[in-house]
Amino acid sequence: MNGSEENAVSAMSAGRPALRMGPAELVQAAAMARRFYLEGKSKIQIAEEFGVSRFKVARVLETALERDLVRIEIRVPAELDAERSDALRARYGLRHAVVVESPAEGEEESPDPENLGEVAADLLGELVAEGDVLGLAWGRSTIHMAAALDRLPPCTVVQLTGVYDAGTAERGSVEAVRRAAQVSGGEAHPIYAPMLLPDPATAAALRDQTGVARAFEHFDKVTVAAVSIGSWEPGVSTVHDMLSDEERAHYASLGVAAEMSAHLFDASGRRVGRDLGERCITVEADRLRRVPEVVAIAGGSRKAAAIGAVLRSGLVTSLVTDTSAADYLLTESEPGPRPALERFDPDS
């Protein structure tokens, strides 16, 4: 404190002219601040200890802040953008929104940044509780997330979609399910089947196979799910890359703007091309909407519009993204009713 400072707390309480804080008042204010901010004591407990009213304690704490005796700093790791995170959460009614820094200017932007998976792994560590059923959908972001997991309470882990290519199961979503189950010490229910089949009959037959059917039985028990989002362009959507040129053109003509777990969405979040789902091994959209917590992991300017479309679908409750996508999402047209909070279905 310096000689120019004003307002002695005792003078304020007695109605006398404002004076600088004396040494006894400084010591008392410091002691009260320590009890309140560091030791977690209530104002009533502090008042009893010092023999004053709780209103006096409140004034002392307020003056300690004003006079810079106490400084409160809000710090988050440098890679997290707290302001954008909170703005995004409020705009879309998300339960959780975590925004990380995009690559520095001049660095190449990946459609599936590994740092998003790392942050999502930490978020799952917060959200998953003992006894939960964790569902993991196919996606490079969810695979990055599973690889970064280092803590999970005991839970069951179930795969929500088939794999992009059955031959890559050891490096893909099957391995992600195994990894999450290993970290948690819980059961694993992988799906050893492709995501996309040639026709609905083949897909139906695979769903009836014992291993696949066992995983599907857990879909209604999922309490936390992690999904990826793709935009309708090469290299940014797994489903887009699995289809023929003719099929891509057909779905593009329907206005598809985004893909998540083999479900297609237009810019307003409405589902299009539902016939594709009949050929896919994936969790149904209605089941996904009933999952209490659905965390989407997606970022980058190439996916920004697709993320907005999926957020409008009401299927996602939380989002891990980056600053380039967040800036787009915060400036695009209003999303309407807070879709994540209300689990709003634009098709209903």
Side-chain angles (χ1 to χ4, degrees):
M1 309 294 291
N2 57 54
S4 65
E5 289 179 317
E6 309 166 347
N7 280 5
V9 174
S10 58
M12 292 188 345
S13 61
R16 294 187 279 112
L19 302 171
R20 70 176 183 271
M21 292 180 76
E25 292 164 331
L26 282 170
V27 170
Q28 184 186 69
M32 288 183 176
R34 178 174 294 278
R35 303 290 193 280
F36 187 74
Y37 292 108
L38 299 183
E39 299 175 12
K41 291 188 176 180
S42 70
K43 293 174 184 176
I44 293 176
Q45 289 174 314
I46 297 169
E48 291 175 352
E49 178 182 348
F50 287 87
V52 298
S53 71
R54 62 185 175 90
F55 302 106
K56 169 72 176 290
V57 173
R59 287 193 295 269
V60 170
L61 294 175
E62 182 179 349
T63 302
L65 284 171
E66 291 174 352
R67 299 293 164 235
D68 213 22
L69 188 63
V70 173
R71 296 182 181 180
I72 297 177
E73 292 183 312
I74 301 173
R75 292 184 176 182
V76 295
E79 69 270 17
L80 298 183
D81 191 310
E83 185 175 351
R84 284 184 175 94
S85 298
D86 188 55
L88 200 58
R89 179 201 57 76
R91 183 177 178 86
Y92 287 89
L94 293 161
R95 289 204 186 93
H96 305 280
V98 182
V99 178
V100 305
E101 287 292 334
S102 298
E105 188 174 350
E107 294 183 24
E108 185 178 355
E109 182 183 85
S110 167
D112 298 286
E114 290 193 24
N115 63 333
L116 293 187
E118 294 165 1
V119 172
D122 287 340
L123 179 60
L124 277 194
E126 294 182 54
L127 299 181
V128 176
E130 184 173 350
D132 274 349
V133 177
L134 171 63
L136 299 181
W138 159 266
R140 284 177 286 265
S141 295
T142 52
I143 291 169
H144 292 326
M145 178 202 69
L149 283 171
D150 59 9
R151 63 185 176 100
L152 272 181
C155 64
T156 299
V157 186
V158 59
Q159 194 169 322
L160 297 178
T161 64
V163 297
Y164 173 37
D165 181 343
T168 65
E170 292 302 318
R171 305 189 308 276
S173 46
V174 169
E175 181 56 30
V177 169
R178 287 176 173 166
R179 167 66 181 166
Q182 180 184 30
V183 172
S184 74
E187 295 181 2
H189 294 277
I191 294 178
Y192 296 96
M195 181 191 293
L196 180 65
L197 283 304
D199 53 71
T202 305
L206 267 179
R207 292 189 199 103
D208 288 337
Q209 288 191 356
T210 302
V212 177
R214 187 177 297 119
F216 268 63
E217 287 172 1
H218 283 80
F219 285 1
D220 286 330
K221 304 173 187 175
V222 173
T223 49
V224 180
V227 300
S228 295
I229 296 172
S231 58
W232 200 244
E233 58 178 301
V236 195
S237 165
T238 301
V239 172
H240 178 282
D241 292 346
M242 287 191 289
L243 296 172
S244 67
D245 290 341
E246 183 180 354
E247 289 171 322
R248 291 170 192 152
H250 165 67
Y251 291 117
S253 71
L254 301 179
V256 59
E259 173 262 318
M260 180 184 71
S261 302
H263 300 295
L264 309 182
F265 305 87
D266 66 14
S268 64
R270 296 180 183 275
R271 290 178 58 211
V272 296
R274 297 188 183 213
D275 60 306
L276 182 66
E278 298 174 6
R279 297 168 49 195
C280 292
I281 304 297
T282 186
V283 61
E284 299 94 326
D286 290 341
R287 277 178 161 175
L288 198 58
R289 196 182 305 279
R290 293 196 294 270
V291 175
E293 185 74 76
V294 180
V295 181
I297 312 160
S301 56
R302 294 174 67 187
K303 287 189 176 184
I307 296 169
V310 173
L311 290 182
R312 286 183 171 86
S313 75
L315 292 172
V316 169
T317 60
S318 297
L319 176 67
V320 177
T321 190
D322 61 9
T323 51
S324 60
D327 286 342
Y328 174 88
L329 294 168
L330 290 170
T331 56
E332 69 166 350
S333 59
E334 283 292 335
R338 294 184 294 173
L341 188 65
E342 307 294 340
R343 305 309 293 270
F344 173 74
D345 182 359
D347 291 320
S348 62

